[in-house]
Amino acid sequence: MLKTFPLAAALAVFATTAFAADAPVVTGKLGEETYLMDAGTHMTLYTFDKDEKGVSNCYDMCAANWPPVVGDADMKLPAGYSLVTRKEGYEQVAYKGMPLYGWVKDEKPGDMTGEGVNGVWHVARP
């Protein structure tokens, strides 16, 4: 599946599905940059340097600003993707063991304003 979203300066975000039709994450491309994005909103996803493989360390205000990508325990994920159980008891999607998050200050698909925030947030890349 290929979807195009117009952006400023005639740039486009292209999404290709990485999972089944109900998957929470897709791979996107903006110019030459390939990154992970939310399948529903096509917003950029991020990783957090203070997380550990298989463990989220972003809770409370952190999670309010960096919403975790929620998964379902029955979800079939391709190689490289997994689910991390958060302390609240729900599942969070991870890539190569690192939990994935959105960023509340991104306003439209293709925004990557979370890159480098506090030196610990980075655009998630396949």
Side-chain angles (χ1 to χ4, degrees):
M1 169 166 36
L2 180 67
K3 295 182 182 180
T4 304
F5 294 89
L7 297 176
L11 294 176
V13 174
F14 296 97
T16 57
T17 303
F19 306 102
D22 61 344
V25 177
V26 293
T27 301
K29 189 165 179 121
L30 177 62
E32 295 302 312
E33 294 206 49
T34 302
Y35 61 100
L36 300 181
M37 62 182 158
D38 181 275
T41 63
H42 293 101
M43 299 300 283
T44 303
L45 297 178
Y46 298 88
T47 58
F48 183 41
D49 285 349
K50 295 183 179 182
D51 283 346
E52 300 166 38
K53 284 192 174 190
V55 178
S56 173
N57 289 308
C58 180
Y59 290 94
D60 305 318
M61 283 307 299
C62 178
N65 289 315
W66 301 90
V69 177
V70 177
D72 182 320
D74 297 327
M75 179 178 291
K76 295 195 191 276
L77 301 171
Y81 292 86
S82 59
L83 294 173
V84 172
T85 302
R86 294 180 56 82
K87 68 181 181 182
E88 301 99 327
Y90 64 87
E91 302 294 327
Q92 180 175 359
V93 177
Y95 179 68
K96 294 186 178 177
M98 297 305 289
L100 298 172
Y101 304 86
W103 170 229
V104 297
K105 293 189 179 181
D106 281 349
E107 296 180 1
K108 64 187 178 307
D111 282 354
M112 296 181 181
T113 64
E115 175 65 35
V117 169
N118 297 324
V120 295
W121 290 96
H122 307 284
V123 171
R125 301 188 188 280

